[in-house]
Amino acid sequence: MAVDVWFVVLPGVLALDLTGPAETFGLAGDAFRLHYIGPQPEVVSSIGLTLGGIAPLPDALPPGSLLVIPGVTDSSQHFATPEAEQVRRWLTRLQPAIHHQQLALLCICSGALMAARAGLLHQRQCTTHHDVIARLKQAAPDAQVKTNRIFVADRGIWTSAGITSGIDVSLHLISHLCGPHQALEVAREMVVWFRRAGDDPQLSPWLRYRNHLHPALHQAQDLLSSAPQQPWSVPALAQQVHISARHLARLFQLHLGVTVRDYIEQLRLALAEQYLRQGLHGEQVALKAGFSSRRQWQRALLRVPANSPIVYDPPTG
């Protein structure tokens, strides 16, 4: 089922804060339906381009929707208008649905400031553009405002630093809502990559190691990601992507910084995590994830870095 994405468009909207996420979600095909809403049918954007066809603010949004608040060129000016006050009151009415996670919220750049004024960031971790950090702390004194972060996610509310980080967070939302494969396809179409900043946890192995442009290496990663439990060998994998085994091994080291074996092991550990979440245990998890035994799974887990997102359920015996 497609996710409805609602962009709140105010006068002075930062063009890339709006069009960056919109293009990103649009490239996901039928997975998202895009809507543009606001207090005025037309607004002038940050680049002087007039945007039209903006629908009125609806009384309510369908459950499961994603609400996006882009930033504006001068938040001290454009968030002090009657139109901005109308949006603030409208957002305040949506507060119960957002806090019960019936709606997801995405704030780009200074859009977090509008959300804070509507009471949506109460006791939430959040971030914004570095020029607005101090004002965000003032507007939401009980929020945990993070600095030097590309984006922050907390219980259905996503906030980002602005401009290109709106694309970053949109890719992660696509991964969250539609799965990593869909997000990777969009990222490769846009020729961008997944990023994290500050003390964010590592990306899962499904999304890591993709910040390169080598087509054969991406093809090899796609094959491994589609079936990590298979008994892969470097020669067999290299044959499928039409390069030599030695060249493939060199590409993994050069572009990813890991061996083919290590990459497969990380994928299998991530697959084992999924089986753990489904309620499977022990030898059954090990074999379904592609390990030869429970002991091999245990040895692989011992090599997991301390800050890895992989669930640690070390098998004993």
Side-chain angles (χ1 to χ4, degrees):
M1 181 180 296
V3 176
D4 287 295
V5 185
W6 305 82
F7 291 88
V8 178
V9 186
L10 278 166
V13 62
L14 280 164
L16 195 55
D17 279 7
L18 174 66
T19 59
E23 289 284 4
T24 307
F25 290 121
L27 285 172
D30 296 334
F32 297 93
R33 289 188 295 262
L34 308 186
H35 312 269
Y36 305 94
I37 56 176
Q40 294 178 314
E42 290 187 354
V43 302
V44 178
S45 70
S46 60
I47 57 174
L49 182 68
T50 298
L51 305 175
I54 303 169
L57 297 170
D59 292 334
L61 298 180
S65 292
L66 171 62
L67 176 62
V68 183
I69 309 176
V72 292
T73 51
D74 184 350
S75 56
S76 61
Q77 173 187 343
H78 288 109
F79 283 166
T81 64
E83 293 80 12
E85 176 59 20
Q86 182 180 343
V87 168
R88 187 197 65 79
R89 293 196 301 268
W90 178 76
L91 290 172
T92 300
R93 293 197 298 270
L94 295 179
Q95 185 181 62
I98 292 172
H99 282 179
H100 287 95
Q101 298 187 46
Q102 296 166 344
L103 304 174
L105 176 66
L106 169 57
C107 302
I108 311 296
C109 193
S110 59
L113 190 60
M114 173 62 74
R117 293 177 177 177
L120 302 180
L121 301 184
H122 177 66
Q123 295 184 345
R124 290 297 208 277
Q125 296 185 58
C126 56
T127 194
T128 188
H129 190 276
H130 56 83
D131 286 343
V132 192
I133 286 287
R135 293 168 57 208
L136 181 60
K137 290 180 178 179
Q138 186 177 21
D142 58 351
Q144 301 175 49
V145 181
K146 304 291 186 178
T147 60
N148 194 30
R149 300 284 286 275
I150 291 174
F151 64 85
V152 173
D154 189 352
R155 290 167 288 172
I157 295 179
W158 302 66
T159 51
S160 75
I163 308 295
T164 58
S165 68
I167 296 174
D168 295 316
V169 69
S170 298
L171 286 170
H172 282 271
L173 272 164
I174 292 172
S175 176
H176 177 71
L177 296 170
C178 305
H181 180 74
Q182 181 77 64
L184 284 169
E185 288 297 313
V186 173
R188 290 171 62 184
E189 177 70 19
M190 299 179 72
V191 198
V192 298
W193 52 85
F194 288 87
R195 298 190 296 173
R196 289 282 179 145
D199 57 352
D200 283 322
Q202 291 185 30
L203 292 173
S204 76
W206 309 110
L207 299 179
R208 293 182 69 198
Y209 308 115
R210 290 287 187 158
N211 56 339
H212 64 86
L213 299 176
H214 199 288
L217 188 52
H218 274 302
Q219 186 181 359
Q221 290 176 277
D222 289 343
L223 288 168
L224 294 175
S225 297
S226 66
Q229 72 278 12
Q230 296 299 318
W232 290 102
S233 68
V234 176
L237 180 63
Q239 186 176 22
Q240 292 207 42
V241 299
H242 310 293
I243 58 177
S244 71
R246 178 176 295 182
H247 186 43
L248 180 63
R250 188 183 302 116
L251 288 175
F252 265 79
Q253 289 284 9
L254 177 63
H255 294 283
L256 277 60
V258 297
T259 66
V260 179
R261 177 181 177 277
D262 289 341
Y263 183 75
I264 295 172
E265 184 174 89
Q266 290 190 40
L267 293 177
R268 288 174 176 171
L269 285 171
L271 188 59
E273 176 190 355
Q274 294 178 10
Y275 289 135
L276 285 172
R277 294 184 185 278
Q278 294 171 14
L280 303 181
H281 297 284
E283 194 79 13
Q284 188 178 17
V285 169
L287 296 178
K288 284 180 68 67
F291 295 103
S292 61
S293 66
R294 187 173 180 176
R295 186 175 297 277
Q296 187 190 41
W297 177 34
Q298 182 180 37
R299 289 196 296 267
L301 279 169
L302 293 175
R303 290 189 287 271
V304 173
N307 62 342
S308 171
I310 294 173
V311 170
Y312 213 124
D313 185 35
T316 59

